[in-house]
Amino acid sequence: MLIKFAAALTLGLALLAPLHASEGGSLQAANVSLNDTAALQRGAKLYFNYCSGCHSLRYVRYSRIAEDLQIDPKDVEANLIFTGAKIGDLALSSMSAEDGTKWFGKAPPDLSLEGRSKGADWIYSYLKSFYLDPTRPLGWNNTVFENASMPNVLWELQGLQSPVRKGGKADGPIEHLDLTTPGRQSAAEFDRSVRDITAFLQYVGEPAALKRESMGVWVLLYLAVFTLLAYLLKREFWKDVH
């Protein structure tokens, strides 16, 4: 039974390997932290200003975001809701699936579970890896997810990147991306913005993780105190036993 399980696991990993390679190979480390409330707040602001026009978060409500991220509900209504929704509603995009298919060739996916399915490193690398490509319908391509239908919605922050190809050949493999037109943010500032969006999507993928991590500290403290008391109690009971 164990041999069969090991064989199945090995086969699964072998099948996943080419899938990962097809989506960009090596990724940059996001290094996000769900304990950084300020980063999550900034990420929520950036997400709803740049991403929510196309992408929904159908498994999370605005009220939950307000509570977990310590944002006043009035501020959420004023600065994060652009669809006419109420604070207790799900964070749905105003774009219909039909319009998404018409404009992009495919309806933009819901991003509720993107952090769990793709991982922080993938999201972070993907958002940084758009480049100009006149052969694509929207003029953009991506080194992490080749021929993605999504345009670079963060271009005004990042600037415009162009590919540098091996040997200078037009069809050669891309060696790296050059920033040919600066954006509104410096490289360091844009890295932080992308990291904040990534952290927010990680939170959205599992909102309970915030409370679980915060409770974990208290659980460890409880176990430490309990262990100390148990040790002292043992010494008291056994001090006269020889």
Side-chain angles (χ1 to χ4, degrees):
M1 188 68 179
L2 288 175
I3 295 176
K4 290 182 178 180
F5 175 77
L9 180 60
T10 303
L11 177 60
L13 292 175
L15 292 174
L16 283 175
L19 176 61
H20 181 265
S22 70
E23 294 195 351
S26 60
L27 303 174
Q28 301 178 55
N31 296 320
V32 299
S33 172
L34 295 183
N35 295 319
D36 190 342
T37 303
L40 293 174
Q41 292 172 346
R42 293 192 302 268
K45 181 179 179 180
L46 287 164
Y47 173 86
F48 283 107
N49 277 275
Y50 287 96
C51 309
S52 65
C54 299
H55 298 281
S56 293
L57 300 174
R58 62 185 177 187
Y59 297 126
V60 66
R61 298 183 185 276
Y62 291 105
S63 54
R64 177 66 184 268
I65 293 173
E67 178 184 354
D68 289 345
L69 273 54
Q70 302 174 28
I71 306 174
D72 190 307
K74 293 182 179 179
D75 290 335
V76 171
E77 292 177 326
N79 301 308
L80 301 185
I81 301 179
F82 306 113
T83 61
K86 304 299 182 182
I87 188 69
D89 292 343
L90 295 170
L92 302 179
S93 170
S94 58
M95 179 183 292
S96 66
E98 292 77 13
D99 286 341
T101 302
K102 176 181 177 181
W103 296 333
F104 303 113
K106 182 179 180 181
D110 180 271
L111 298 183
S112 300
L113 302 178
E114 193 76 356
R116 297 183 66 177
S117 63
K118 295 293 182 61
D121 292 350
W122 191 95
I123 296 173
Y124 177 73
S125 302
Y126 172 68
L127 291 176
K128 293 181 61 180
S129 299
F130 281 93
Y131 64 92
L132 295 171
D133 184 351
T135 68
R136 297 294 298 154
L138 298 177
W140 295 97
N141 211 327
N142 192 285
T143 58
V144 171
F145 190 9
E146 188 177 359
N147 295 332
S149 299
M150 175 180 161
N152 183 12
V153 296
L154 302 175
W155 71 267
E156 65 174 353
L157 302 181
Q158 181 186 29
L160 305 179
Q161 294 189 126
S162 298
V164 176
R165 298 182 180 274
K166 187 174 183 179
K169 298 181 180 180
D171 59 348
I174 296 175
E175 293 186 326
H176 62 272
L177 301 177
D178 268 355
L179 185 67
T180 53
T181 303
R184 284 171 28 200
Q185 294 185 336
S186 67
E189 290 171 336
F190 184 70
D191 282 353
R192 192 186 80 162
S193 293
V194 174
R195 188 172 290 108
D196 291 344
I197 295 174
T198 302
F200 175 70
L201 288 177
Q202 281 292 102
Y203 149 74
V204 168
E206 191 179 5
L210 283 182
K211 293 184 178 179
R212 185 176 66 245
E213 289 187 11
S214 62
M215 289 177 61
V217 175
W218 295 104
V219 170
L220 291 175
L221 288 175
Y222 168 79
L223 291 175
V225 172
F226 175 79
T227 301
L228 176 62
L229 292 176
Y231 172 73
L232 295 175
L233 187 61
K234 174 183 176 296
R235 286 188 58 186
E236 181 66 23
F237 282 161
W238 288 83
K239 66 180 181 180
D240 295 326
V241 177
H242 299 286

